[in-house]
Amino acid sequence: MFEDAAKSGIDITAPRIPAWRWLFPLAAIHAAVMVPLSLLALYHGWIPVQLATPAAHAREMLFGFALAVIAGYLLGPMPRRRLGLLVTLWLVGRLGVLDWSGAAISSLADGAFALWVASRLVPRFIAAKKWRNRLLSPLLGMLCLLAVVTLTWRYLEDMPTTTPLMHQSVLWLVLL
């Protein structure tokens, strides 16, 4: 068994850290900072114009906060480097709401975070033995897919196509 892991390039001696140890505090800080920033942008025209709509705030709370909490809870222990890369993708994705020249990079990082979470969680729940756990697979997959699809809100001014998707995202999260 250990020989197979060594052949596949997996370092079995690398220290593994639970994903929640990094993602839970970061998600809590994110929620505590983004709510006042969203209110400032919405009611006072403050700089992060991309937070100035309720749908943009909803997207940030759903796919910034909630997806990080879901990932932290379900991913389990990970090697330090892999977890560091995952957290970096999440952090760079959160910078996308600020008006800066690297918004395309943060959109890519945000999408990569959602796809990485989906690639780790969906197969795990498809292979589950209990049906109630198998049902989580399409729910998680749809949430991660919606996180990628709704990235267009950063490039569309009034979000005509992503607002109904945000409503669907809330429903999928409630089902989870």
Side-chain angles (χ1 to χ4, degrees):
M1 178 171 118
F2 292 117
E3 294 151 357
D4 293 335
K7 287 179 185 175
S8 66
I10 298 172
D11 185 9
I12 58 175
T13 61
R16 299 171 70 81
I17 300 171
W20 62 264
R21 197 165 284 169
W22 286 9
L23 289 173
F24 283 5
L26 288 172
I29 291 168
H30 174 260
V33 169
M34 280 301 156
V35 170
L37 286 180
S38 294
L39 292 173
L40 282 171
L42 185 60
Y43 294 113
H44 300 291
W46 192 63
I47 297 297
V49 180
Q50 295 184 2
L51 283 175
T53 64
H57 169 75
R59 190 201 182 280
E60 200 55 33
M61 289 294 105
L62 278 170
F63 302 121
F65 171 74
L67 195 57
V69 171
I70 290 168
Y73 186 72
L74 294 176
L75 282 175
M78 298 176 69
R80 184 181 301 269
R81 281 188 180 166
R82 194 173 295 164
L83 183 58
L85 181 59
L86 185 68
V87 167
T88 302
L89 286 173
W90 182 81
L91 285 170
V92 171
R94 304 293 50 88
L95 293 175
V97 298
L98 303 175
D99 291 331
W100 68 299
S101 59
I105 294 170
S106 57
S107 292
L108 290 173
D110 202 5
F113 173 78
L115 292 175
W116 190 347
V117 169
S119 72
R120 295 287 179 208
L121 295 181
V122 171
R124 183 184 305 172
F125 285 102
I126 284 176
K129 293 182 181 177
K130 294 181 181 177
W131 276 102
R132 68 175 180 236
N133 291 338
R134 282 188 187 181
L135 289 176
L136 290 177
S137 181
L139 293 174
L140 291 168
M142 185 58 79
L143 273 174
C144 292
L145 178 66
L146 286 167
V148 173
V149 170
T150 57
L151 280 171
T152 59
W153 72 271
R154 292 182 179 150
Y155 307 106
L156 300 174
E157 293 189 19
D158 60 351
M159 295 179 58
T161 57
T162 55
T163 301
L165 293 176
M166 293 306 299
H167 292 283
Q168 293 299 316
S169 302
V170 171
L171 295 175
W172 285 101
L173 186 64
V174 169
L175 282 174
L176 185 65

